[in-house]
Structure formats: structure tokens, C-alpha cells
Amino acid sequence: MMKKVFAAAMAVTLSVLFTACSSVTTGTNLHDMKLSESNDLQTIAHLNGDVWGIYLFGILPLFTGSTATPGSCAVFKDTVRLDNAVSMLSKKAAALEATRVTDLSSATSSSWLFLISLKSVQVSGNALK
């Protein structure tokens, strides 16, 4: 019995280590549609950022998304916060040479499984120049 529990725990740990816990995706195929009321601004892309993590007792971070390097995980760092997700999204907008991010929206969630909680923050916005 103990071997099965240990094997399951190792499988979950390895899957988390090899899974991206954070990401910023862009939607650039806008078919010449404007994402702003202003005719002076050029539409670059719609951006969506996601950061999630696994916490022990809801406060001790075990695996979280790296907001400094989207697409990778951080260990024992509390990165699943709204300010980090907005920073990750605005950094991507700046890399696309956008000067503004409009219509910024966010959503947070948390779910529990025994002593483990899964926290998530999503942000989205329109990158304009």
C-alpha cells in the first residue's frame, strides 16, 4: 500500500515539474479589427496570462508558476499573486512594443483537496501602440 502511495506522489511531482505553471499567450490574428475606440492607436494583440500553483495548507507554496520566466515552475516561491500576473502580462506587451494595455481583467480561484490547495490567477488585456 505504501509503495502505491509513494509511486502516485512521485508521478504527481514529476508531472508538475515538467508542466508549465505559468504562460502568456497572444492572439494576433484580429482581421484588421480595432480593440480600442481610438483611431490613433494600433492594435498589436490580445494577451492572456495564467499563473497557478500548488500550496500546502493554502499558505506554503510547493510548486508555482515562474512569472519571471513564463513556461517554467518555481519551487517554494509564492508567485501566484495578481501583481505578479499583471507584471508578466505587461512585460510581454512591452516585448511586443506596445505602449498601452487596455481592458485589463483578472480572475482568481482556489480549490482544496485535503491539505493541498490549487491557486490560480488569470489576467487578460489588449496590447495597443
Side-chain angles (χ1 to χ4, degrees):
M1 175 70 178
M2 194 63 171
K3 287 182 182 181
K4 290 181 182 180
V5 171
F6 181 73
M10 288 304 294
V12 169
T13 302
L14 288 174
S15 67
V16 167
L17 286 175
F18 294 109
T19 305
C21 301
S22 63
S23 64
V24 178
T25 54
T26 59
T28 56
N29 191 2
L30 302 170
H31 302 286
D32 295 324
M33 302 282 269
K34 291 279 193 186
L35 297 178
S36 167
E37 293 293 325
S38 175
N39 290 329
D40 298 333
L41 295 173
Q42 175 188 0
T43 301
I44 305 289
H46 178 77
L47 304 173
N48 185 57
D50 184 38
V51 183
W52 62 271
I54 298 172
Y55 288 74
L56 183 63
F57 305 120
I59 54 171
L60 179 65
L62 299 176
F63 298 102
T64 59
S66 172
T67 54
T69 312
S72 62
C73 288
V75 180
F76 303 121
K77 292 185 181 178
D78 186 16
T79 60
V80 184
R81 298 191 329 246
L82 184 59
D83 59 338
N84 288 341
V86 170
S87 175
M88 183 176 69
L89 187 87
S90 60
K91 183 178 178 182
K92 178 66 173 183
L96 295 173
E97 298 180 358
T99 57
R100 296 177 190 204
V101 176
T102 61
D103 301 323
L104 192 63
S105 65
S106 64
T108 60
S109 67
S110 179
S111 58
W112 284 84
L113 179 65
F114 300 110
L115 301 176
I116 304 293
S117 71
L118 176 67
K119 295 182 182 181
S120 175
V121 176
Q122 289 188 351
V123 293
S124 66
N126 300 323
L128 307 172
K129 183 176 182 180

